[in-house]
Amino acid sequence: MQGNSLRLAACGLAIAFALPASAQAPPSPAVNSLMTTRVDSEIKIDPSGALLDYRSETPLPDNVRVSLEKQVRSWRFEPVLVQGQPVTARARMRVTLAARDLGNEQYAVSVDNVTFPANNQAVMPDAPPAAATIASRKIGAPGYPMSLARAGVSGMVLLYLRLSPEGRVLEAVPVQTSLFNAQGSAQTLAQGVKAFEQSSVRAAREWQFDVQVLAGATPNARDLTVSMPVEYHAPGHRETRPGQWRTEVRGERREAAWLRGDAQAQRIGVSDLDSGDLLPLASAVRLTSEVKGVAL
């Protein structure tokens, strides 16, 4: 990775690594501005919930990789159950890292979130199938707000969509939004977030999906909810992939009203997604360790 040396300091631990020039924080960091990257891996959990194996698949500088692996190997998980019995299970895991500017080229890096991007059957082939499977059928592109297009601002909106069994969108909620290549006052940035969210919700009301309900199943609200990232790309905007850092101005995350109190639903944020990602809300794997905000 090339660019200026970036020194990351947290709890007395300094980690130095290089980021591409395009990932550097803007000259005048905006409110709620941070850098994020996603690290994909595969884990193996024993029947007690202890970690047996961790294999990172995302290239990282050695010092970052070693520090993250040390943290991950200390985490514990809820036992994974199949027909009520704890089993050894493999799962996909994504760790989202955040770097916050401390000034003087000092950055604090911490764990922003952990998600599990696979359904139950992908984790355990003998697990029961989902109550409902959902696939897109008719997805029209949203209109790009002209003021943001002229300003060269890109963004991503994470929508949660509650569907009918027939595949109609009953509710569309913007859970969280990030702006890329954006600077300005908190008020100006908030207006940009609002414009992207309004555009995506208008488009989503016309979308259609194919919903297949398992014979004999009664799907609940989580089963009939799909997460959809909606992206707006200004000319020259570069998509990022796991392991690449991006600067974003991120709005607060809200929960969809119909999922409040649902302990089985993953807490997915906009920073957990890259282009084209769809993460399920339900997961057979859940952490018991408190990891959000843990410093590297």
Side-chain angles (χ1 to χ4, degrees):
M1 306 176 73
Q2 299 179 349
N4 296 329
S5 176
L6 182 65
R7 294 183 296 276
L8 306 171
C11 299
L13 175 64
I15 304 176
F17 64 98
L19 291 180
S22 62
Q24 303 302 311
S28 300
V31 176
N32 297 325
S33 178
L34 72 165
M35 290 186 294
T36 63
T37 191
R38 287 137 297 285
V39 181
D40 288 335
S41 61
E42 183 178 280
I43 58 174
K44 185 178 181 180
I45 307 165
D46 76 10
S48 73
L51 188 70
L52 289 175
D53 193 21
Y54 165 76
R55 298 178 185 275
S56 176
E57 300 171 351
T58 300
L60 291 171
D62 287 344
N63 44 13
V64 179
R65 176 182 53 78
V66 169
S67 183
L68 176 60
E69 182 167 348
K70 181 179 179 181
Q71 290 290 346
V72 171
R73 290 191 179 278
S74 70
W75 296 351
R76 289 195 63 87
F77 302 78
E78 291 185 13
V80 175
L81 305 179
V82 173
Q83 298 180 349
Q85 298 300 314
V87 298
T88 298
R90 291 187 179 274
R92 307 284 306 163
M93 184 172 75
R94 169 170 286 181
V95 180
T96 302
L97 300 178
R100 298 182 182 276
D101 190 358
L102 301 177
N104 298 321
E105 295 187 346
Q106 299 291 315
Y107 290 78
V109 173
S110 61
V111 175
D112 191 63
N113 199 19
V114 178
T115 53
F116 302 96
N119 59 33
N120 285 10
Q121 286 187 294
V123 175
M124 301 159 296
D126 56 348
T133 57
I134 298 170
S136 59
R137 180 173 53 183
K138 181 182 177 182
I139 306 295
Y144 204 132
M146 291 304 299
S147 60
L148 297 178
R150 286 193 296 267
V153 176
S154 300
M156 178 185 288
V157 181
L158 173 59
L159 292 179
Y160 276 14
L161 308 175
R162 185 171 70 87
L163 308 179
S164 72
E166 296 75 36
R168 292 182 293 104
V169 175
L170 300 177
E171 294 185 76
V173 171
V175 174
Q176 194 172 36
T177 300
S178 279
L179 305 180
F180 310 128
N181 305 326
Q183 300 180 51
S185 67
Q187 181 179 4
T188 299
L189 294 170
Q191 290 173 346
V193 167
K194 184 176 181 181
F196 275 147
E197 291 182 345
Q198 290 176 335
S199 169
S200 63
V201 169
R202 280 196 298 269
R205 293 189 180 119
E206 305 301 320
W207 293 348
Q208 297 176 21
F209 295 81
D210 288 320
V211 178
Q212 299 293 327
V213 176
L214 184 67
T218 304
N220 57 25
R222 184 188 345 113
D223 297 324
L224 293 173
T225 299
V226 63
S227 66
M228 289 281 291
V230 181
E231 298 183 81
Y232 297 83
H233 293 306
H237 173 78
R238 291 185 177 182
E239 295 183 7
T240 59
R241 303 306 305 164
Q244 297 176 327
W245 291 83
R246 70 186 180 203
T247 299
E248 52 184 301
V249 178
R250 189 172 70 186
E252 293 185 3
R253 186 186 183 281
R254 296 90 77 191
E255 189 59 88
W258 64 89
L259 294 173
R260 288 175 188 155
D262 186 343
Q264 304 300 311
Q266 293 200 76
R267 186 176 173 83
I268 301 170
V270 68
S271 300
D272 303 319
L273 303 171
D274 283 305
S275 177
D277 285 338
L278 288 177
L279 300 187
L281 299 191
S283 174
V285 182
R286 287 182 291 276
L287 274 162
T288 58
S289 299
E290 292 292 334
V291 303
K292 187 176 178 61
V294 169
L296 297 191

